[in-house]
Amino acid sequence: MSTVSPAPASPELPPAEGSAGATEPDVATSGELFAPVASGVELCYQTFGDPADEPMLLVMGLATQMTFWDPELCAMLARRGHYVIRFDNRDVGRSSRGRGRVTRGMLVRAFAGRRVRPPYSLHDLGADAFGLLDHLGIASAHLVGVSMGGMIVQTMALDQPQRVRSLTSIMSTTGKRSVGWLHPRLLPAMLRPIKPGREAYAESSVAMWRMIGSPGFDHDDNRIREAAREAYDRGVSSAGALRQMLAILTQPNRSPALRGVRVPTLVVHGLADRMVHVSGGRATAAAVPGAELLLIDGMGHDLPADLYPTLVDAISRVVARA
């Protein structure tokens, strides 16, 4: 296990997860493309780098679009010799919308541990991601997931281990209810209806990132607003967010199964994470044999730009082990 303390923040850097950034000219970047991955499900995706390089699939979290993988972070990974793929999960951004109504009452019952049937599961979201790799002709890839994305890539490593070259789980958890818990004050904010309109969505995003962001790193509310406006323009779905949330709340405890993971694994977690308590990261690393655990002082539930070099170096280490 290693612990990183934050260096003094650089206000010139885009500090918020999802901040817009231009890639360097040396990194080839596709437009937004579409892939049919299952019956009635089409994913929007984008690639960075050379298709001949080692493929790396980036999986984002709850109700969060692929644009929240900062283009500069994607370009940094591509410069390390990876063909980087980011995409919108179903029910997010420009990807297909799911079906099935989820009420807040269903979420509360699932949060309390009662049995609730979700419209789809994390296994289904993982199958979508494998479908995207199939569309691209990629047999196996390095997987990097954030939050719900970490849960998805863990599930993918269990469902089809032969297709996973390495596994990186960031600010995520195993599904065990006694670890990785949500701070109780956040649930009402997550369930509170958002006022309609682009600017209301932007302001609600700023308020949420203030609650869950990294206190040890500088941030810029205006950059968060711009990222939220971009997300709104690409497409947001409150019903989709509820469906994804129920998939999270009904996930199984993967801890016993994760002991069978045999690919190089990195677990990253912030010590100031209020969305997914750091115990979730510790439990994930403890479950996977030989996993590297990187704990970061001052990091909350976002990806500050000041941490990009640290994250790229750590991901490159686990890829080298593969």
Side-chain angles (χ1 to χ4, degrees):
M1 179 186 73
S2 57
T3 303
V4 175
S5 297
S10 302
E12 295 81 12
L13 292 172
E17 179 182 348
S19 57
T23 60
E24 293 294 333
D26 60 320
V27 175
T29 305
S30 77
E32 294 193 2
L33 306 169
F34 294 89
V37 299
S39 177
V41 179
E42 186 177 65
L43 300 185
C44 180
Y45 71 97
Q46 187 176 31
T47 66
F48 298 79
D50 187 342
D53 287 341
E54 291 204 28
M56 177 174 289
L57 187 68
L58 307 183
V59 188
M60 195 29 88
L62 172 66
T64 308
Q65 301 183 16
M66 69 175 183
T67 51
F68 281 67
W69 288 109
D70 192 305
E72 179 54 26
L73 177 59
C74 296
M76 290 170 71
L77 290 167
R79 292 185 202 111
R80 294 291 183 100
H82 299 109
Y83 180 51
V84 178
I85 307 147
R86 65 177 187 173
F87 69 100
D88 291 327
N89 285 302
R90 70 166 82 176
D91 266 333
V92 166
R94 301 184 70 192
S95 289
S96 297
R97 296 292 177 255
R99 297 179 179 178
R101 181 170 179 264
V102 171
T103 67
R104 283 167 174 79
M106 293 168 66
L107 293 173
V108 171
R109 291 197 299 275
F111 187 78
R114 296 173 61 184
R115 189 176 182 86
V116 181
R117 184 181 179 88
Y120 53 77
S121 68
L122 295 182
H123 294 280
D124 296 318
L125 295 176
D128 289 348
F130 281 130
L132 174 56
L133 294 180
D134 291 338
H135 175 78
L136 293 169
I138 295 172
S140 63
H142 301 281
L143 304 183
V144 182
V146 163
S147 194
M148 182 186 77
M151 303 169 197
I152 293 171
V153 298
Q154 291 175 34
T155 302
M156 294 172 70
L158 298 176
D159 287 348
Q160 298 191 49
Q162 74 280 6
R163 303 196 65 179
V164 180
R165 301 188 187 188
S166 72
L167 178 65
T168 297
S169 179
I170 303 174
M171 51 185 150
S172 193
T173 187
T174 63
K176 185 177 181 180
R177 286 184 169 270
S178 60
V179 299
W181 55 83
L182 174 77
H183 193 287
R185 291 184 59 187
L186 293 179
L187 185 60
M190 294 176 66
L191 297 179
R192 187 178 302 127
I194 298 174
K195 295 179 181 179
R198 188 172 188 258
E199 291 310 306
Y201 182 81
E203 292 307 316
S204 69
S205 297
V206 170
M208 178 57 72
W209 288 118
R210 285 175 179 170
M211 295 177 68
I212 68 174
S214 298
F217 296 86
D218 195 11
H219 72 277
D220 184 341
D221 287 350
N222 287 328
R223 298 302 295 268
I224 298 171
R225 285 188 185 92
E226 285 306 310
R229 289 169 181 144
E230 179 186 14
Y232 186 89
D233 293 341
R234 295 183 76 251
V236 296
S237 169
S238 57
L242 296 180
R243 284 189 287 267
Q244 288 191 353
M245 196 179 301
L246 191 59
I248 292 172
L249 291 174
T250 56
Q251 68 182 304
N253 175 15
R254 291 179 296 278
S255 300
L258 287 172
R259 298 188 182 101
V261 172
R262 293 294 180 265
V263 297
T265 299
L266 167 68
V267 179
V268 181
H269 218 108
L271 292 171
D273 195 333
R274 302 176 75 210
M275 179 69 78
V276 179
H277 189 267
V278 67
S279 56
R282 289 190 170 113
T284 305
V288 179
E292 176 186 351
L293 176 60
L294 176 62
L295 301 178
I296 302 179
D297 285 331
M299 177 181 172
H301 205 72
D302 62 350
L303 298 175
D306 286 337
L307 282 178
Y308 291 174
T310 299
L311 293 172
V312 171
D313 286 345
I315 293 170
S316 297
R317 281 198 307 271
V318 76
V319 167
R321 288 170 53 200

